[in-house]
Every structure is written in structure tokens, then in C-alpha cells.
Amino acid sequence: MIGLGVAVAERVPEGTPVLFQGAFSETIKKAAKIGFDALEIHVQNPELVDAKEWKRLCREYNIQAVSLATGSAYLMEGISLSSPEPEKRRRAVERMMGHIRLAKELGAIVTIGVLKGLASECAGREEFEKNYRESLEKCITYAEEKGVTLAMECVNRKESDTFHTITECAEFARSFRSEAFRIYIDTYHMDLEETDIPGAIRGAADMITYAQVSDRNRKAPDGKHCEIRQMTDTLKEIGYQGFLSLECLPDPTAEEAAAKGLAFMRNLMRE
């Protein structure tokens, strides 16, 4: 059975597709009230999190923390796993290890989106991949020790200058030969990059560990603009048993977008 989640955070930069912001005790309450099964939590600094309290709140509201997003560290501090500056790479790896420790406590995966950095920030694609791979190897080794899964996002070319499609991300992830490194997919990015969404998902069935949903404009999905059903039908076909999380803008309000998005996702799961 595919569980349904929603993105939350204490704070994120304006324009980030996260519905509920604020103290975890408040965002989890809002998500549970609307009816979500799970949370995707955007965490800038995991060392500041009270893991025991978060676990208590998850039990209280019967909701699971399934994913820790790492992008705020890049967006708000400028550190990345591929940075040409060794100190920034070191800090990004240390931050990832903190996320891994927190994920271990919560039973979540750790996602890597914009924290991978940009090739344009390096001398070129070769330097980018060298730096990124070296950082990932350290993170994957630590994740293996902790029994945590890392997942790399397939990001569209408007927001990233590397690794856009499901196929290329899956091939890159497979090159590490680790059960602890997988990929995750997002309807927003797929809509811009994939010419055959079902085919791409089938080809990466062994590597997909998480999925996100929003409409083409990053608002709550309604099925009128983005071919979301192609993704969900194919995920069912390949036997996907993970989570599907709503990662969209709080428009017109967070509560309205969350309720609309959850109703749409539930209908897809029933079909």
C-alpha cells in the first residue's frame, strides 16, 4: 500500500514548495488533522532537533516521518556536496551525517536534491562529478553503517545543470553498487524532462524509493495539467510500496492546498 505524506518545515526560503511551516509540534498537528499518513520534513540543521520529542509526537498523532530533506542547508548556507571549496564540501558531508543520524532515529530516508550543488559553481562537469562522487562515497558508507537509505532527486534543467532524467539518475546511483543509495521522483520535474514517464519508471523500478507530487505550476495537483496518473499507475504496476508526498506551494492557503492535494491523491490510489 502506498502511503500519503506532506512536506513540512520549521522555515524554508520563500517560494519553496512546502505546505506547513513552523514548530514541528504545530506542523505535525496540522498534517494529522487533514489526514496525512506521513511527513517529509525539511531540516536545515539536524543537530538542533530533539529526536525523542519528534518520535513522541509521531506516536501521538499516528503519523510517520518518512523523509528528511536536506536542501535548506544549500539554499540558506551555500554549502554543497560538490562545492569547489573544500571547507563547504566538508560541512555539507558533516551535515548529511547529521541527517543520517536523525533519520536512523526516526526511521526515515534522507533525500539529496539541491544539496548536490551545481556544475556551474565548479570549473566544469568533471570537477563537479569528482567532488560530488567523493562526498557521496563518504555519506553512503556512513548510511550503510547506520542502516539508512539516501535518495537522489531527478531535478529539471531549469533548477539544476546535472542529472535531470530518471534514467541518468538511476544509472549514476547504480554505479555506487550500494543498497543504501537510491533515487526519488517528482511529477513536477518529470513533466519537464521525461518523454515516456511509464517507461522511465519501469526502467528504474529497482532504484525508486520515494515519490513526490505537485502540479505543473507547483500548486496542489488536480489532474488537469500534469499527467500524474501516469506516474501513480506505473508505480502500482511495478509494485512500489513506498510513500507519495505532496510537495507544493501553499496556494491559496496551506490548509486548502493540503486538503485538495490529499483528496486528489486518495482518488488516484483508489482507481
Side-chain angles (χ1 to χ4, degrees):
M1 181 178 176
I2 298 176
L4 303 177
V6 65
V8 304
E10 182 176 351
R11 69 186 182 100
V12 288
E14 185 177 355
T16 302
V18 169
L19 280 175
F20 297 118
Q21 293 188 53
F24 186 67
S25 59
E26 294 302 314
T27 57
I28 190 172
K29 184 189 301 184
K30 291 176 181 178
K33 182 178 180 180
I34 291 171
F36 288 97
D37 306 314
L39 297 178
E40 169 186 310
I41 313 171
H42 291 238
V43 179
Q44 182 180 348
N45 190 344
E47 302 302 332
L48 302 179
V49 171
D50 184 340
K52 289 184 179 179
E53 175 63 8
W54 280 22
K55 288 172 70 176
R56 186 193 68 77
L57 288 167
C58 286
R59 289 193 299 270
E60 178 181 340
Y61 290 102
N62 193 30
I63 196 166
Q64 187 174 347
V66 297
S67 169
L68 299 183
T70 58
S72 295
Y74 174 77
L75 296 172
M76 303 177 82
E77 299 174 55
I79 61 176
S80 79
L81 296 171
S82 64
S83 174
E85 300 178 41
E87 177 60 17
K88 287 186 176 182
R89 288 202 307 278
R90 183 193 66 77
R91 288 175 57 202
V93 169
E94 285 190 354
R95 190 65 57 84
M96 277 290 298
M97 290 181 176
H99 279 88
I100 291 166
R101 288 189 292 272
L102 179 59
K104 173 69 173 179
E105 291 291 317
L106 299 174
I109 68 169
V110 177
T111 61
I112 304 168
V114 296
L115 190 65
K116 76 174 184 288
L118 298 169
S120 60
E121 295 171 337
C122 300
R125 178 68 182 246
E126 184 177 349
E127 181 186 73
F128 163 83
E129 287 207 23
K130 176 180 178 294
N131 292 347
Y132 186 39
R133 181 173 286 276
E134 288 178 356
S135 295
L136 278 176
E137 286 172 347
K138 296 172 184 176
C139 296
I140 291 170
T141 297
Y142 193 64
E144 289 172 339
E145 293 172 1
K146 296 296 183 181
V148 171
T149 298
L150 309 182
M152 171 179 160
E153 185 175 24
C154 315
V155 182
N156 77 79
R157 69 193 65 202
K158 294 182 179 180
E159 298 180 31
S160 176
D161 54 9
T162 57
F163 299 116
H164 309 301
T165 68
I166 294 172
T167 299
E168 64 180 327
C169 288
E171 289 176 353
F172 179 73
R174 287 189 187 106
S175 72
F176 289 84
R177 294 181 172 83
S178 172
E179 293 293 323
F181 191 41
R182 292 292 183 263
I183 69 169
Y184 69 107
I185 59 177
D186 184 324
T187 55
Y188 177 76
H189 299 300
M190 284 190 289
D191 186 62
L192 290 166
E193 294 293 338
E194 304 294 344
T195 57
D196 178 8
I197 290 174
I201 292 174
R202 291 186 192 109
D206 61 317
M207 299 303 293
I208 296 171
T209 195
Y210 188 58
Q212 295 168 328
V213 172
S214 74
D215 212 329
R216 182 172 295 163
N217 54 9
R218 266 303 187 197
K219 294 185 180 181
D222 58 12
K224 297 177 182 178
H225 310 101
C226 190
E227 292 294 336
I228 296 170
R229 186 171 282 102
Q230 287 189 10
M231 180 186 79
T232 55
D233 285 351
T234 311
L235 287 175
K236 293 175 190 176
E237 175 192 316
I238 66 173
Y240 177 77
Q241 293 294 308
F243 288 85
L244 192 64
S245 288
L246 183 64
E247 191 185 66
C248 67
L249 297 170
D251 187 326
T253 68
E255 287 76 10
E256 289 175 278
K260 175 183 175 182
L262 179 58
F264 177 76
M265 292 194 297
R266 279 178 171 165
N267 285 334
L268 285 182
M269 294 301 101
R270 292 191 189 104
E271 293 177 1

